[in-house]
Structure formats: C-alpha cells, structure tokens
Amino acid sequence: MAKFLNTSATNYFLEELIKDAKDRLILISPFLKLNDRMKELLADKNRLKIDVRIVYGKSELQPEEINWLKELTYIRTSFCKNLHAKCYLNEELCIITSLNLYEFSQINNNEMGVLMRRSEDADLYKDAYEEAQRIIRISEEVRISLERVSTNADAKSETEESSDKLTSSKLAQKFGIKTNEFIEKLVSADLLELKDGKHYLTTKGKEIGGEFRMSPKFGPYFLWPQNFKF
C-alpha cells in the first residue's frame, strides 16, 4: 500500500526510482535545474538507453548545463505552461511529493511525499501514470538550446530587434565547432567571464556588440554580430 515519505525518505526513494528505471522514467517538476547528483543519475540512464521524459514549467539551466543536456540522446524535455505538479515515475514506482527536482538531495527543506508501487497499488499507480501522460500530451516538446525557439509573433519582434545578431549556438555552427567549445573561446577572448558557474558579458564583449538575453522558456543565451570574428 502507499507509503508516506518525509524529507530524507523522499530523497532516498527518488534516487532509487531513477536508478531502478529499466524501461521508462518520467520526471515532472515545475523548475528545471539539475545538481551534480541528478546529472550523474540521468547520464547513467542515457548510457543505458532508457527513455526519459522531463516535463518542466521554467528552466533555470546555465549554458554549460544546457550543452550537457543536449548531448543526452535518450532524454526528452517538454515545457508545460502553469505546471505546479511534482511527480516522478518509473515502470514500477511513483512518487507524488512537494519536492522540486532541483531540490533533490537537499535535506535542509521540509518536504512530504507519497510512494506507491504498481504491484501493490495498481489502480492508484494507473491513475497517476495516466495523469502524467496527459501532462506530457499537453506539453510542448522542446530541444533545450542556448538559442530562443519561437514560432509566434514574438519571434517576429525578436528577429526585427536583432536581425543582425546570431546566437552562440548559431555562430558555433558557422565556425564548425560545438557550442560549449565556442563559449570557451569567448571566455578565452575575454568576451565572457565565468563567475560562480555562470557566464557574464565582459566590457569587451559588450563593446563588440554582444547581448545577454533571457528566455522564460529556454533560459539565458547570448547574441553576437553576424560578422563576429575572434
């Protein structure tokens, strides 16, 4: 039968749920922000070719985390507007909890949760799984990237505003290198600086026309002149 989880138990069983996933893994959390332990667990699932679906309502990923996530072939991400649910499932276990994904392994918070097993609570698990599938269906599957991806009028206004600028990822493609390599070159050229794990435009970067932008859906990114050269 369903089991009540306190903070430490929620962290423990969530890690076990991720590690024990053999076929599928669904992670639904309003905030997409990954700590080192979560990245380690997800990388292992990717190596094992486990189908992982992450549904989020707001991305707080940094550029280096975005580049890392882009390399994981078997992990798909979806954006769901007005998401507040926190639900984590594999083919056998389901946890419904107050714990956000980015708070995983943080035992200083006071959290509660409920663990259910498919083998013991088939109907309850089925209801939770079907609701998770509904959330996935109404979500917009996206490819996490450093560039903003839009298909509406907002894209038009941004294009008009920065028609002479390209994102870091687009320029990286132009130079024939990966985005993270391009970012490293920008740091080496003193156009970006790294502080507390985050990239910032330097004075030199601003002088050549670099711009910082924040997308509510895809997180931070930088724009550069189309004729940019190192």
Side-chain angles (χ1 to χ4, degrees):
M1 58 185 298
K3 176 183 177 67
F4 171 77
L5 304 177
N6 60 17
T7 304
S8 58
T10 300
N11 277 278
Y12 170 78
F13 280 105
L14 177 54
E15 179 166 343
E16 292 301 301
L17 182 152
I18 296 172
K19 290 194 298 186
D20 291 345
K22 301 293 190 300
D23 179 48
R24 62 178 178 268
L25 177 63
I26 300 173
L27 304 174
I28 299 175
S29 175
F31 294 98
L32 180 56
K33 184 177 181 181
L34 307 174
N35 58 34
D36 289 342
R37 181 56 177 162
M38 181 58 67
K39 290 191 334 190
E40 178 183 313
L41 293 170
L42 290 177
D44 185 54
K45 294 295 100 176
N46 188 70
R47 282 191 292 270
L48 295 172
K49 300 182 179 181
I50 306 300
D51 180 32
V52 179
R53 291 300 301 266
I54 300 177
V55 183
Y56 66 94
K58 182 178 179 181
S59 172
E60 296 186 356
L61 294 177
Q62 299 305 313
E64 57 271 23
E65 295 173 319
I66 293 172
N67 289 323
W68 173 84
L69 192 56
K70 284 171 63 179
E71 300 296 323
L72 304 183
T73 309
Y74 294 91
I75 295 180
R76 291 181 289 167
T77 57
S78 298
F79 172 80
C80 183
K81 185 179 179 181
N82 299 326
L83 181 66
H84 193 65
K86 296 101 173 176
C87 181
Y88 312 105
L89 306 95
N90 65 16
E91 59 273 8
E92 171 59 24
L93 299 177
C94 173
I95 295 175
I96 297 176
T97 176
S98 60
L99 182 77
N100 278 296
L101 193 61
Y102 76 89
E103 294 171 320
F104 168 69
S105 82
Q106 296 181 11
I107 60 174
N108 54 308
N109 294 337
N110 292 305
E111 308 286 354
M112 290 186 182
V114 175
L115 170 72
M116 60 195 80
R117 299 179 184 276
R118 185 180 184 184
S119 58
E120 298 175 359
D121 298 284
D123 291 340
L124 192 59
Y125 176 92
K126 179 175 178 289
D127 289 342
Y129 178 77
E130 289 180 350
E131 179 61 14
Q133 289 297 316
R134 185 192 71 83
I135 290 175
I136 291 174
R137 287 195 301 273
I138 66 173
S139 301
E140 176 187 359
E141 186 169 341
V142 296
R143 179 177 58 83
I144 295 292
S145 68
L146 285 175
E147 59 190 286
R148 184 173 183 169
V149 181
S150 300
T151 57
N152 53 24
D154 183 56
K156 181 180 178 182
S157 63
E158 181 170 319
T159 301
E160 292 172 349
E161 181 179 300
S162 302
S163 58
D164 61 335
K165 301 289 180 69
L166 294 176
T167 61
S168 300
S169 58
K170 288 292 185 182
L171 275 176
Q173 293 176 16
K174 184 177 178 180
F175 286 110
I177 59 178
K178 293 183 178 180
T179 305
N180 58 337
E181 294 177 19
F182 182 72
I183 295 294
E184 290 174 1
K185 286 181 176 292
L186 292 173
V187 174
S188 298
D190 195 31
L191 301 176
L192 290 178
E193 59 182 339
L194 188 62
K195 294 180 180 179
D196 299 323
K198 299 180 181 180
H199 287 97
Y200 296 87
L201 274 172
T202 63
T203 300
K204 183 178 178 181
K206 295 176 182 177
E207 288 175 349
I208 70 163
E211 296 180 30
F212 173 80
R213 296 293 179 84
M214 173 62 77
S215 165
K217 186 184 294 187
F218 301 101
Y221 64 101
F222 297 97
L223 291 174
W224 307 95
Q226 290 191 30
N227 58 356
F228 174 88
K229 293 181 181 180
F230 285 106

